[in-house]
Amino acid sequence: MHRKNRKPANEGMLTAVLQAMNEAVVVKSAAGTITLWNRAAAELFGYTPPEVIGEKADILIPPGELRHWRECEKRLRGGGAVRRINAVRLAKDGVRIRVILTATVVEKSRPAESDIVEIYRAPQATGADVLPAGGCL
């Protein structure tokens, strides 16, 4: 089949793929509001989708880490990358969780409205190519 004849994946299939992933996937709007929360995110952080969708993603960031993450977001929106960095996030019960974080911007027609997709993995589930904490590129 030629590329021009391929149909884009439908939303139902994409949702099924996201829900089947072992990595926690969190999508947040340009305003920092959580818009997507998969099954693995619920398992990792302890929040159900109805508890977090529509809430600020800052609930996952420990006090003292927020300023650093804002700098990472700024670099992301400027075309930078956050790939496989050590990070600490907060679970619903207040426990700090060490994770490997990869984040990317999903471009929209207006860059100021672009979403950020964050993918979290447990450190033992990744290889040795992990950057130290604070390693935004």
Side-chain angles (χ1 to χ4, degrees):
M1 179 185 276
H2 297 291
R3 283 184 172 247
K4 65 182 180 181
N5 294 333
R6 289 186 184 168
K7 293 182 180 180
N10 67 41
E11 189 174 324
M13 183 178 76
L14 291 175
T15 299
V17 169
L18 285 171
Q19 293 304 326
M21 290 180 65
N22 290 325
E23 294 85 6
V25 178
V26 179
V27 177
K28 61 185 185 180
S29 69
T33 302
I34 296 170
T35 59
L36 186 141
W37 185 263
N38 75 346
R39 172 199 49 80
E43 291 172 4
L44 180 64
F45 296 111
Y47 292 99
T48 64
E51 289 177 303
V52 292
I53 292 177
E55 297 295 325
K56 290 286 192 179
D58 295 355
I59 63 172
L60 302 176
I61 302 174
E65 299 281 330
L66 192 55
R67 192 178 98 189
H68 175 260
W69 181 240
R70 291 285 182 257
E71 287 298 316
C72 288
E73 286 180 324
K74 186 176 177 181
R75 289 185 199 153
L76 276 169
R77 294 192 186 284
V82 174
R83 293 191 185 111
R84 296 177 307 277
I85 65 168
N86 286 307
V88 176
R89 292 296 182 259
L90 287 177
K92 180 180 177 179
D93 60 7
V95 171
R96 290 175 177 250
I97 303 169
R98 293 191 181 281
V99 294
I100 305 301
L101 170 62
T102 297
T104 190
V105 172
V106 177
E107 297 293 336
K108 292 190 176 178
S109 58
R110 298 163 87 183
E113 297 176 359
S114 296
D115 295 339
I116 292 180
V117 177
E118 299 174 358
I119 301 172
Y120 297 93
R121 294 180 182 96
Q124 67 271 20
T126 62
D129 59 343
V130 176
L131 297 175
C136 302
L137 297 176

